[in-house]
């Protein structure tokens, strides 16, 4: 029996829209185990990103519970949520969010500066992360000197440099051509195997789906299908 790292129970999320409310999530129950490589799949507005944001402690449920490594997300203080994001969760977005004034090395370093690691440990972690994504020779370059695929690889290095328990990836291949999208997914799958990190994607990209071991299909804020894939 694999260890459950995330439990979602009867999750409801509503947002105010003028005098009405928009029901983004309508009573979803799910769990994710350690080392899963899972995708939340569905059209825009189906609830994919909302679920990622709540798992990532960037938002809170309206009703129901989300337990993250045993902690109830709804009961976390702002400080506690920030600490969990800093220590346990890596984020990958469709926009690379690299700071143009910093080098590749420095952009990756930003993810661990607040962990108060010794200089040697921090340097070794950064170089290992860059090695994982094949960018050790690019450490002194600035983002403006990189291609889109290279920029996304830096974003991946930044997400995994602290060896997080969970990586949340929101449309990570949306701005990439097919060749780079496949390269990115190969890197992420290798990291998943090496680190036992749980990966959860929000995507509607068929290229991403080819790599997933579980696909959860969302429609209108509800689960339409949840199936494991033999790869």
């Amino acid at each position: 029996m694999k260890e459950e790292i995330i439990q979602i129970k009867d999750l409801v999320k509503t947002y105010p829209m003028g005098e009405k409310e928009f029901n983004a999530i309508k009573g979803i129950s799910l769990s994710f185990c350690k080392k899963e490589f899972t995708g939340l799949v569905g059209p825009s507005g189906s609830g994919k990103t909302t679920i990622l944001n709540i798992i990532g402690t960037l938002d809170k449920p309206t009703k129901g519970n989300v337990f993250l490594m045993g902690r109830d997300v709804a009961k976390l203080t702002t400080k506690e949520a920030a600490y969990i994001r800093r220590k346990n969760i890596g984020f990958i977005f469709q926009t690379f969010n690299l700071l143009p004034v910093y080098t590749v090395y420095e952009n990756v370093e930003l993810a661990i500066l607040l962990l108060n690691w010794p200089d040697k440990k921090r340097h070794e972690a950064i170089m290992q992360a860059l090695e994982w994504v094949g960018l050790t020779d690019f450490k002194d370059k600035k983002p403006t000197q990189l291609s889109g695929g290279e920029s996304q690889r830096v974003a991946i290095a930044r997400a995994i440099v602290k060896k997080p328990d969970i990586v949340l990836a929101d449309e990570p291949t949306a701005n990439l051509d097919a060749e780079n999208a496949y390269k990115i997914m190969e890197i992420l799958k290798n990291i998943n195997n090496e680190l036992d990190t749980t990966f959860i994607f929000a995507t509607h990209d068929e290229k991403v789906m080819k790599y997933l071991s579980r696909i959860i299909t969302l429609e209108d804020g509800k689960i339409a299908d949840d199936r494991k894939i033999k790869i």
Side-chain angles (χ1 to χ4, degrees), residues 2-15:
K2 289 187 177 181
E3 175 191 351
E4 286 190 352
I5 195 168
I6 300 162
Q7 296 94 25
I8 298 174
K9 299 179 180 179
D10 302 318
L11 174 63
V12 173
K13 183 63 185 180
T14 61
Y15 295 99

Side-chain angles (χ1 to χ4, degrees), residues 66-217:
V66 176
F67 294 96
L68 185 63
M69 295 173 291
R71 301 289 303 275
D72 189 338
V73 169
K75 295 180 180 178
L76 295 173
T77 65
T78 301
K79 187 175 181 180
E80 288 170 337
Y83 178 78
I84 288 174
R85 288 194 300 272
R86 192 161 64 237
K87 185 175 183 291
N88 303 108
I89 304 175
F91 295 90
I92 305 171
F93 304 100
Q94 63 182 25
T95 51
F96 315 127
N97 295 331
L98 303 180
L99 295 180
V101 297
Y102 292 133
T103 64
V104 165
Y105 183 100
E106 291 165 337
N107 267 282
V108 176
E109 186 178 33
L110 286 172
I112 53 175
L113 276 177
L114 294 177
L115 294 177
N116 297 318
W117 287 358
D119 291 347
K120 182 181 178 183
K121 179 180 179 180
R122 192 166 69 243
H123 173 73
E124 289 175 349
I126 294 165
M127 294 309 296
Q128 184 176 44
L130 291 176
E131 183 178 347
W132 277 326
V133 300
L135 289 178
T136 51
D137 292 339
F138 289 66
K139 66 183 180 66
D140 296 319
K141 291 185 179 292
K142 297 285 183 68
T144 52
Q145 299 173 285
L146 305 177
S147 67
E150 290 161 353
S151 295
Q152 190 62 307
R153 282 151 65 192
V154 177
I156 291 169
R158 183 181 56 198
I160 54 92
V161 64
K162 59 194 172 188
K163 298 182 180 178
D165 298 286
I166 299 163
V167 168
L168 304 175
D170 195 355
E171 303 286 4
T173 58
N175 293 321
L176 302 177
D177 58 31
E179 181 181 357
N180 276 301
Y182 286 126
K183 285 180 181 177
I184 291 300
M185 292 307 299
E186 288 286 348
I187 289 169
L188 294 177
K189 189 62 182 174
N190 288 337
I191 292 168
N192 170 247
N193 289 330
E194 185 168 342
L195 297 184
D196 289 350
T197 296
T198 300
F199 280 79
I200 305 174
F201 296 82
T203 187
H204 56 260
D205 188 340
E206 293 286 346
K207 296 184 291 296
V208 173
M209 293 182 216
K210 289 181 180 180
Y211 287 84
L212 300 176
S213 55
R214 180 185 177 193
I215 294 177
I216 300 164
T217 304

